[in-house]
Amino acid sequence: MFGMTKKQFLKKSKNCLKESGIQLLLVREIFNSEGKGEISFDDASNNVDKIRKNLEDIFFKYEALKPPSKCKSLQLEIMKTLIILQDVLVLNSEYIILSKEGSKVEGQEKFEKSIDELENFRNKFRKLSQKVDLYLRQ
């Protein structure tokens, strides 16, 4: 069995980024609701867990791809970026746990760190999306 062509891999990469973008929007919605106090900790926790599971599925499907050797670095770059979003979700879960326990200051620090890391993810995500789009146009 032959491996994927570069074009096939780039299309799969674009699809992975599209699916991840949807999860990003859901995360931002939760963060906005948390920041405004519009969502309970239990609801936020359930939503974060669902997003985490979706993101794991996206990651493992993408990781299983067998790209051409010249595209391996792109695959690793996308996977590292997805890990950043996973870390954001972990930080937010820690914020929820600390807030439930009444550790407001520590919880707020985790929340702020999760927002900073989310911004880091968004910047890398945007650059990767542009890179994949550019490669697909060639």
Side-chain angles (χ1 to χ4, degrees), residues 25-38:
L25 293 174
L26 294 172
V27 170
R28 289 186 65 196
E29 183 180 324
I30 292 170
F31 282 20
N32 288 337
S33 296
E34 286 175 334
K36 295 175 184 175
E38 297 174 344

Side-chain angles (χ1 to χ4, degrees), residues 129-138:
S129 294
Q130 291 170 347
K131 190 178 200 178
V132 170
D133 287 342
L134 178 66
Y135 288 158
L136 277 170
R137 281 189 230 128
Q138 294 177 350

Side-chain angles (χ1 to χ4, degrees), residues 118-135:
L118 184 62
E119 191 60 33
N120 179 28
F121 170 79
R122 287 181 61 226
N123 289 332
K124 290 183 183 218
F125 178 82
R126 184 177 57 250
K127 289 176 186 170
L128 280 171
S129 294
Q130 291 170 347
K131 190 178 200 178
V132 170
D133 287 342
L134 178 66
Y135 288 158

Side-chain angles (χ1 to χ4, degrees), residues 1 6 12 19 27-28 32-33 59-60 75 77 80 84 89 94 98 111 113 133:
M1 171 113 192
K6 181 179 177 181
K12 297 274 186 183
E19 291 174 6
V27 170
R28 289 186 65 196
N32 288 337
S33 296
F59 180 88
F60 290 126
Q75 183 186 31
E77 195 175 348
K80 286 178 184 177
I84 293 171
L89 296 174
E94 290 173 356
L98 288 169
F111 184 67
K113 187 170 182 179
D133 287 342

Side-chain angles (χ1 to χ4, degrees), residues 45-77:
S45 181
N46 290 335
N47 291 340
V48 167
D49 283 343
K50 288 176 189 174
I51 294 169
R52 185 185 48 76
K53 288 176 187 170
N54 290 341
L55 195 58
E56 284 176 3
D57 290 342
I58 292 166
F59 180 88
F60 290 126
K61 272 196 312 189
Y62 188 71
E63 181 186 38
L65 296 178
K66 304 290 186 226
S69 60
K70 58 188 167 194
C71 296
K72 193 67 177 167
S73 63
L74 177 63
Q75 183 186 31
L76 291 174
E77 195 175 348

